[in-house]
């Protein structure tokens, strides 16, 4: 679950055309997700919206960055004291997970913070989400890019997804509810 009192919308101003991936690259599933995203999805996004930036949070200790297609538009934060800030600043949280398991806390955190999410089916596995209502799901690189650009350009859609996602986490995933 997620602490909806601590994680709430409006902490900071959003940066237009900004994406975030909140996951340490020291975990192989996160590294794979970003390798895949940077190689196959991000270039398609940047073709349509060249002003787009990506922030990747989390530890980089011992990570071989040479396997990632990094450029000047990608910021690696390393460990951050308060993950809420980079997630809340982003217009869209991307979760291109293709492997691994466990609770998808990165999605719940983003939803609680009012940051809309585009995920793969695997990335949202185990969560009671409704595609098109509180999350966008895409498993093909071109479709993933289309959904991200759609969200970046459509403030009403971002607002609707964010509000529906916040309602979902409040009702089903808030610590007070599941405690």
């Amino acid at each position: 679950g997620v602490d909806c009192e601590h994680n709430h919308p409006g902490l900071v101003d959003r940066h237009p055309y900004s994406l975030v991936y909140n996951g340490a690259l020291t975990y192989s599933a996160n590294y794979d997700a970003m390798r895949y995203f940077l190689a196959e999805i991000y270039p398609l996004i940047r073709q349509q919206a060249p002003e787009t930036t990506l922030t990747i949070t989390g530890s980089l200790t011992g990570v071989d960055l040479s396997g990632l297609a990094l450029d000047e538009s990608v910021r690696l934060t390393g460990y951050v004291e308060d993950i809420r800030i980079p997630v809340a600043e982003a217009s869209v949280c991307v979760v291109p997970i293709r492997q691994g398991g466990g609770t998808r806390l990165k999605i719940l955190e983003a939803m609680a913070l009012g940051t809309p999410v585009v995920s793969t089916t695997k990335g949202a596995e185990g969560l009671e989400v409704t595609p098109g209502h509180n999350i966008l799901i895409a498993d093909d690189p071109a479709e993933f890019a289309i959904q991200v650009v759609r969200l970046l350009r459509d403030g009403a859609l971002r607002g609707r997804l964010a509000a529906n996602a916040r309602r979902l986490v409040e009702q089903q995933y808030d610590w007070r509810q599941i405690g």
Side-chain angles (χ1 to χ4, degrees), residues 34-49:
M34 281 298 91
R35 187 170 44 85
Y36 164 64
F37 183 79
L38 288 165
E40 298 188 37
I41 300 170
Y42 194 55
L44 300 175
I45 294 168
R46 298 258 305 160
Q47 280 176 357
Q48 297 174 64

Side-chain angles (χ1 to χ4, degrees), residues 94-155:
V94 293
V95 186
I97 296 275
R98 302 187 300 172
Q99 57 186 245
T103 307
R104 307 309 190 188
L105 295 177
K106 61 177 54 69
I107 290 178
L108 297 179
E109 288 171 345
M111 289 178 158
L113 290 162
T115 303
V117 177
V118 178
S119 178
T120 56
T121 300
K122 181 72 173 172
E125 191 174 65
L127 297 178
E128 297 292 323
V129 293
T130 304
H133 179 69
N134 48 34
I135 194 170
L136 297 180
I137 301 288
D139 293 312
D140 171 76
E143 183 60 27
F144 200 107
I146 287 167
Q147 296 302 338
V148 169
V149 172
R150 181 176 161 219
L151 260 182
L152 288 172
R153 291 183 174 158
D154 188 341

Side-chain angles (χ1 to χ4, degrees), residues 62-83:
V63 175
D64 178 10
L65 298 177
S66 67
L68 301 175
L70 300 170
D71 66 25
E72 73 288 342
S73 71
V74 179
R75 180 175 72 120
L76 302 170
T77 67
Y79 174 80
V80 292
E81 281 296 321
D82 190 349
I83 190 65

Side-chain angles (χ1 to χ4, degrees), residues 150-168:
R150 181 176 161 219
L151 260 182
L152 288 172
R153 291 183 174 158
D154 188 341
L157 176 61
R158 278 195 318 273
R160 191 169 55 254
L161 278 178
N164 292 338
R166 173 68 190 192
R167 198 170 312 109
L168 171 72

